[in-house]
Structure formats: C-alpha cells, structure tokens
Amino acid sequence: MFFHTVIACYIVGSFFVMGISAYHLLRKNEVDFFKKSFKYGLIMALVATTLTPFIGHKNGTYVTSVQPAKGAAMEAVWETEQGAPFHILQIPDPDNERNLVEAISIPKLGSFFYTNSFNGEITGLKDIPADERPPVNLVFYSFRIMVILGLLFLAIAWYGFYLDRKDKLIDSPKYLKTTLYSILLPYVAINLGWVVAEVGRQPWAVYGLMKTAEGVSPISLSQIIFSLSGLVIFYTILIIADVYLLIKYSKKGPDALEGVTEGGMKHVS
Ligand code: HEM
C-alpha cells in the first residue's frame, strides 16, 4: 500500500508537470524551457505508470488473502470458484447476489489477478455473511475506474515517449491537449483507490476483529459538528489558496522565477 500510494503521487506530480508544460507549449511560450520540463515529467510518468499495475497487482493479491470480502467485492465474485475467469464487461446486481452482465470473459485470469495462480480459489461473496460484506457497487466501480485510469496513464506516457523519440512532441497539439486535460485524472484515481481501500474493508475497522460501529467514541453530536466544521472550513481555505497559487504560478511559467537566485532565495526588491 505504501509503495502503491507513493508511486500514485508521482503519477499526480508527473501529469501535473506534463499538463502545465503542454499548456505553454500549445501557446508556444518559452518552448525550450517547457520542452525540457515536459520531458522531466514524462520520464517520471514512464517509470511511475509502468510500475503501478505490477505494484497494484501485488496489492490486490495480498489484500484478497487478508480481506477476502474486499477482494470479492472489487471483482463482484459471488460464488467461491477455482480458476475463475475475468470479465472485461461486467455489471454487478448486489440485490440479487449475481452479475447482470458478464461478457468478454478471459478464462482463469480472475483467479490469477487475485491469487497469483491461474487455478487459485477466490472466496465468493455468498460465502461471506451479508452483514459482513462491503457495498459491492461502490467498491467494484471505484476499483474498475482506478485500474482503467491506470492503463490510460500508461498509454499516455508511452505514446509521449514514442512522439518524443520521433521529435514530434511539440507538433502534436492533440497529444498536448490530452495531457493538459488529464491533469485532474490522477487525483480522481487516488481518491478512488482510497474508496476501494476504506469502503472495501467495511463493516470492519480491524478486519474480522472489530467492527467500525464498535469503534464509535462516546462523544456528543455538538462536538462532532464542531470538529468536523473546523476541518471542513480549514481545508476549504487551504484548497482555495492551493488552487489559486498553482494556477497563478503555472500560468506565469519561468517568469515566476524572476529574482530567484540559484540557492532558491528570493531577492527583496
Ligand atoms: C493500474 C492498475 C492498478 C491496480 C491493479 C491497483 C490496485 C489497487 C488495490 C488492490 C488497492 C486496494 C489496496 C488495499 O485495500 O489494501 C488500491 C488502492 C489504491 N490505489 Fe490503486 N491500483 C491501480 C492503479 C492506481 C492508480 C493509477 C492510482 C493513482 C494514480 C492508484 C491509487 C491508489 C490509492 C491512492 C489507493 C489506496 C490508498 C489508501 O489506502 O488510501 N491506483 N489499488
């Protein structure tokens, strides 16, 4: 989880650098500077997006072994099965404990994804008491979209590498626009990952030992409202300041560095 989360943050950072560089390259601002910064972002994106599916897979097999209900919900597996297939197209129907659609299936791949063995056994949700299952749809779709985004980031990074090798990066406005419009997507993927991890282990706070409901502290509603409002107000102010500064300095480009010495100290003029 630690490595997956840290590398996910590198994807956020690298896509941010590529997107802002693309913004300036599209306007032909400081082309040499932003070509270079795009490449720095691209190198990081290539490493991070290539590692992510492997580390994510390792995460998936581990989490399925210790939190089987989460693994079953991530893939909407209802029956315990050995050598389970992977359905590229799948629509779960939790009310009827089945999948409404299972199409374009690849034999045994589901078992491989979750157990590292093509004949491994995946525990189905029907073998887990109904009150010990997480909300299937939320976990399933969050997981699917996170993985689809991960594959999209991989494709964007490697296509960028291909264009760069051909020296066609700045002559590809469509590609530059794609990277610009992709800036927010890694943030979405990170939050979906968090939903998978946290909603996926419900109703447990400590899996199999202590339910989340048992962890509720005996505090009053007014205390909760007070602390929650404080957090919401504080983080709203922070995010407004953060977005404002990011946009301001991203638009400025290298001009933002005016008056900055090599050591990073700003001259007071
Ligand atoms: C490409 C394929 C991917 C796979 C197979 C994968 C797999 C997983 C799995 C199995 C978990 C749940 C782990 C647990 O509950 O212990 C997880 C969580 C997470 N994933 Fe992914 N993931 C992928 C892509 C991504 C991408 C592209 C991002 C973001 C850029 C991302 C960010 C996260 C985060 C932040 C968490 C949870 C962190 C937390 O605990 O709050 N993942 N991922």
Side-chain angles (χ1 to χ4, degrees), residues 67-83:
Q67 300 181 14
K70 185 191 275 179
M74 280 175 354
E75 212 43 57
V77 175
W78 297 98
E79 310 286 346
T80 299
E81 207 179 334
Q82 279 184 337

PDB file of all heavy atoms in Angstrom, residues 67-83:
ATOM      1  N   GLN A  67      -8.163  -9.855   3.402  1.00  0.00           N
ATOM      2  CA  GLN A  67      -9.513  -9.283   3.498  1.00  0.00           C
ATOM      3  C   GLN A  67     -10.342  -9.832   2.328  1.00  0.00           C
ATOM      4  O   GLN A  67     -10.614  -9.120   1.351  1.00  0.00           O
ATOM      5  CB  GLN A  67      -9.464  -7.746   3.414  1.00  0.00           C
ATOM      6  CG  GLN A  67      -8.639  -7.096   4.501  1.00  0.00           C
ATOM      7  CD  GLN A  67      -8.644  -5.564   4.398  1.00  0.00           C
ATOM      8  OE1 GLN A  67      -9.440  -4.956   3.698  1.00  0.00           O
ATOM      9  NE2 GLN A  67      -7.745  -4.938   5.134  1.00  0.00           N
ATOM     10  N   PRO A  68     -10.721 -11.144   2.408  1.00  0.00           N
ATOM     11  CA  PRO A  68     -11.374 -11.767   1.248  1.00  0.00           C
ATOM     12  C   PRO A  68     -12.641 -11.046   0.782  1.00  0.00           C
ATOM     13  O   PRO A  68     -12.932 -11.018  -0.419  1.00  0.00           O
ATOM     14  CB  PRO A  68     -11.696 -13.187   1.721  1.00  0.00           C
ATOM     15  CG  PRO A  68     -11.346 -13.248   3.160  1.00  0.00           C
ATOM     16  CD  PRO A  68     -10.515 -12.077   3.517  1.00  0.00           C
ATOM     17  N   ALA A  69     -13.388 -10.410   1.705  1.00  0.00           N
ATOM     18  CA  ALA A  69     -14.638  -9.745   1.289  1.00  0.00           C
ATOM     19  C   ALA A  69     -14.327  -8.561   0.378  1.00  0.00           C
ATOM     20  O   ALA A  69     -15.062  -8.273  -0.574  1.00  0.00           O
ATOM     21  CB  ALA A  69     -15.424  -9.281   2.510  1.00  0.00           C
ATOM     22  N   LYS A  70     -13.209  -7.877   0.653  1.00  0.00           N
ATOM     23  CA  LYS A  70     -12.828  -6.730  -0.190  1.00  0.00           C
ATOM     24  C   LYS A  70     -12.463  -7.224  -1.601  1.00  0.00           C
ATOM     25  O   LYS A  70     -12.922  -6.668  -2.596  1.00  0.00           O
ATOM     26  CB  LYS A  70     -11.643  -5.989   0.433  1.00  0.00           C
ATOM     27  CG  LYS A  70     -11.269  -4.726  -0.311  1.00  0.00           C
ATOM     28  CD  LYS A  70      -9.942  -4.145   0.159  1.00  0.00           C
ATOM     29  CE  LYS A  70     -10.105  -3.263   1.366  1.00  0.00           C
ATOM     30  NZ  LYS A  70      -8.818  -2.707   1.849  1.00  0.00           N
ATOM     31  N   GLY A  71     -11.655  -8.289  -1.651  1.00  0.00           N
ATOM     32  CA  GLY A  71     -11.245  -8.843  -2.949  1.00  0.00           C
ATOM     33  C   GLY A  71     -12.464  -9.280  -3.750  1.00  0.00           C
ATOM     34  O   GLY A  71     -12.578  -8.999  -4.945  1.00  0.00           O
ATOM     35  N   ALA A  72     -13.416  -9.953  -3.076  1.00  0.00           N
ATOM     36  CA  ALA A  72     -14.610 -10.440  -3.782  1.00  0.00           C
ATOM     37  C   ALA A  72     -15.448  -9.268  -4.290  1.00  0.00           C
ATOM     38  O   ALA A  72     -16.007  -9.319  -5.388  1.00  0.00           O
ATOM     39  CB  ALA A  72     -15.434 -11.322  -2.850  1.00  0.00           C
ATOM     40  N   ALA A  73     -15.516  -8.177  -3.499  1.00  0.00           N
ATOM     41  CA  ALA A  73     -16.310  -7.008  -3.923  1.00  0.00           C
ATOM     42  C   ALA A  73     -15.618  -6.271  -5.067  1.00  0.00           C
ATOM     43  O   ALA A  73     -16.272  -5.783  -5.987  1.00  0.00           O
ATOM     44  CB  ALA A  73     -16.532  -6.068  -2.742  1.00  0.00           C
ATOM     45  N   MET A  74     -14.270  -6.193  -5.023  1.00  0.00           N
ATOM     46  CA  MET A  74     -13.535  -5.497  -6.090  1.00  0.00           C
ATOM     47  C   MET A  74     -13.854  -6.110  -7.445  1.00  0.00           C
ATOM     48  O   MET A  74     -13.855  -5.451  -8.471  1.00  0.00           O
ATOM     49  CB  MET A  74     -12.018  -5.572  -5.836  1.00  0.00           C
ATOM     50  CG  MET A  74     -11.556  -4.562  -4.820  1.00  0.00           C
ATOM     51  SD  MET A  74      -9.829  -4.605  -4.299  1.00  0.00           S
ATOM     52  CE  MET A  74      -9.035  -5.954  -4.971  1.00  0.00           C
ATOM     53  N   GLU A  75     -14.096  -7.445  -7.459  1.00  0.00           N
ATOM     54  CA  GLU A  75     -14.323  -8.128  -8.731  1.00  0.00           C
ATOM     55  C   GLU A  75     -15.757  -8.625  -8.858  1.00  0.00           C
ATOM     56  O   GLU A  75     -16.101  -9.285  -9.827  1.00  0.00           O
ATOM     57  CB  GLU A  75     -13.325  -9.299  -8.816  1.00  0.00           C
ATOM     58  CG  GLU A  75     -12.848  -9.644 -10.192  1.00  0.00           C
ATOM     59  CD  GLU A  75     -12.501  -8.432 -11.051  1.00  0.00           C
ATOM     60  OE1 GLU A  75     -11.646  -7.629 -10.625  1.00  0.00           O
ATOM     61  OE2 GLU A  75     -13.115  -8.270 -12.131  1.00  0.00           O
ATOM     62  N   ALA A  76     -16.606  -8.317  -7.839  1.00  0.00           N
ATOM     63  CA  ALA A  76     -18.005  -8.801  -7.801  1.00  0.00           C
ATOM     64  C   ALA A  76     -18.073 -10.302  -8.088  1.00  0.00           C
ATOM     65  O   ALA A  76     -18.733 -10.744  -9.035  1.00  0.00           O
ATOM     66  CB  ALA A  76     -18.889  -8.010  -8.752  1.00  0.00           C
ATOM     67  N   VAL A  77     -17.348 -11.074  -7.253  1.00  0.00           N
ATOM     68  CA  VAL A  77     -17.376 -12.534  -7.374  1.00  0.00           C
ATOM     69  C   VAL A  77     -18.399 -13.040  -6.361  1.00  0.00           C
ATOM     70  O   VAL A  77     -18.278 -12.772  -5.166  1.00  0.00           O
ATOM     71  CB  VAL A  77     -15.982 -13.139  -7.059  1.00  0.00           C
ATOM     72  CG1 VAL A  77     -16.047 -14.656  -7.056  1.00  0.00           C
ATOM     73  CG2 VAL A  77     -14.954 -12.652  -8.064  1.00  0.00           C
ATOM     74  N   TRP A  78     -19.425 -13.762  -6.816  1.00  0.00           N
ATOM     75  CA  TRP A  78     -20.491 -14.197  -5.909  1.00  0.00           C
ATOM     76  C   TRP A  78     -20.291 -15.624  -5.423  1.00  0.00           C
ATOM     77  O   TRP A  78     -20.567 -15.934  -4.268  1.00  0.00           O
ATOM     78  CB  TRP A  78     -21.856 -14.045  -6.597  1.00  0.00           C
ATOM     79  CG  TRP A  78     -22.135 -12.604  -6.901  1.00  0.00           C
ATOM     80  CD1 TRP A  78     -21.954 -11.963  -8.090  1.00  0.00           C
ATOM     81  CD2 TRP A  78     -22.549 -11.594  -5.968  1.00  0.00           C
ATOM     82  NE1 TRP A  78     -22.249 -10.623  -7.966  1.00  0.00           N
ATOM     83  CE2 TRP A  78     -22.624 -10.371  -6.670  1.00  0.00           C
ATOM     84  CE3 TRP A  78     -22.876 -11.595  -4.607  1.00  0.00           C
ATOM     85  CZ2 TRP A  78     -23.000  -9.178  -6.067  1.00  0.00           C
ATOM     86  CZ3 TRP A  78     -23.263 -10.397  -4.016  1.00  0.00           C
ATOM     87  CH2 TRP A  78     -23.325  -9.214  -4.735  1.00  0.00           C
ATOM     88  N   GLU A  79     -19.828 -16.505  -6.317  1.00  0.00           N
ATOM     89  CA  GLU A  79     -19.641 -17.911  -5.934  1.00  0.00           C
ATOM     90  C   GLU A  79     -18.152 -18.173  -5.711  1.00  0.00           C
ATOM     91  O   GLU A  79     -17.324 -17.696  -6.484  1.00  0.00           O
ATOM     92  CB  GLU A  79     -20.104 -18.852  -7.074  1.00  0.00           C
ATOM     93  CG  GLU A  79     -21.481 -18.574  -7.630  1.00  0.00           C
ATOM     94  CD  GLU A  79     -22.600 -19.014  -6.692  1.00  0.00           C
ATOM     95  OE1 GLU A  79     -22.321 -19.769  -5.742  1.00  0.00           O
ATOM     96  OE2 GLU A  79     -23.756 -18.584  -6.916  1.00  0.00           O
ATOM     97  N   THR A  80     -17.834 -18.979  -4.684  1.00  0.00           N
ATOM     98  CA  THR A  80     -16.441 -19.366  -4.487  1.00  0.00           C
ATOM     99  C   THR A  80     -16.027 -20.238  -5.671  1.00  0.00           C
ATOM    100  O   THR A  80     -16.750 -21.148  -6.063  1.00  0.00           O
ATOM    101  CB  THR A  80     -16.288 -20.138  -3.154  1.00  0.00           C
ATOM    102  OG1 THR A  80     -16.698 -19.254  -2.112  1.00  0.00           O
ATOM    103  CG2 THR A  80     -14.862 -20.596  -2.921  1.00  0.00           C
ATOM    104  N   GLU A  81     -14.882 -19.906  -6.258  1.00  0.00           N
ATOM    105  CA  GLU A  81     -14.541 -20.567  -7.517  1.00  0.00           C
ATOM    106  C   GLU A  81     -13.035 -20.723  -7.667  1.00  0.00           C
ATOM    107  O   GLU A  81     -12.267 -19.829  -7.280  1.00  0.00           O
ATOM    108  CB  GLU A  81     -15.069 -19.668  -8.656  1.00  0.00           C
ATOM    109  CG  GLU A  81     -15.387 -20.415  -9.920  1.00  0.00           C
ATOM    110  CD  GLU A  81     -15.938 -19.481 -11.004  1.00  0.00           C
ATOM    111  OE1 GLU A  81     -16.518 -18.429 -10.662  1.00  0.00           O
ATOM    112  OE2 GLU A  81     -15.743 -19.814 -12.187  1.00  0.00           O
ATOM    113  N   GLN A  82     -12.637 -21.876  -8.218  1.00  0.00           N
ATOM    114  CA  GLN A  82     -11.222 -22.054  -8.579  1.00  0.00           C
ATOM    115  C   GLN A  82     -11.087 -21.768 -10.071  1.00  0.00           C
ATOM    116  O   GLN A  82     -11.990 -22.091 -10.841  1.00  0.00           O
ATOM    117  CB  GLN A  82     -10.798 -23.492  -8.310  1.00  0.00           C
ATOM    118  CG  GLN A  82     -10.470 -23.722  -6.851  1.00  0.00           C
ATOM    119  CD  GLN A  82      -9.964 -25.135  -6.612  1.00  0.00           C
ATOM    120  OE1 GLN A  82     -10.237 -26.039  -7.391  1.00  0.00           O
ATOM    121  NE2 GLN A  82      -9.239 -25.315  -5.528  1.00  0.00           N
ATOM    122  N   GLY A  83      -9.964 -21.198 -10.478  1.00  0.00           N
ATOM    123  CA  GLY A  83      -9.772 -20.894 -11.909  1.00  0.00           C
ATOM    124  C   GLY A  83     -10.846 -19.957 -12.440  1.00  0.00           C
ATOM    125  O   GLY A  83     -11.368 -20.142 -13.540  1.00  0.00           O
TER     126      GLY A  83
END
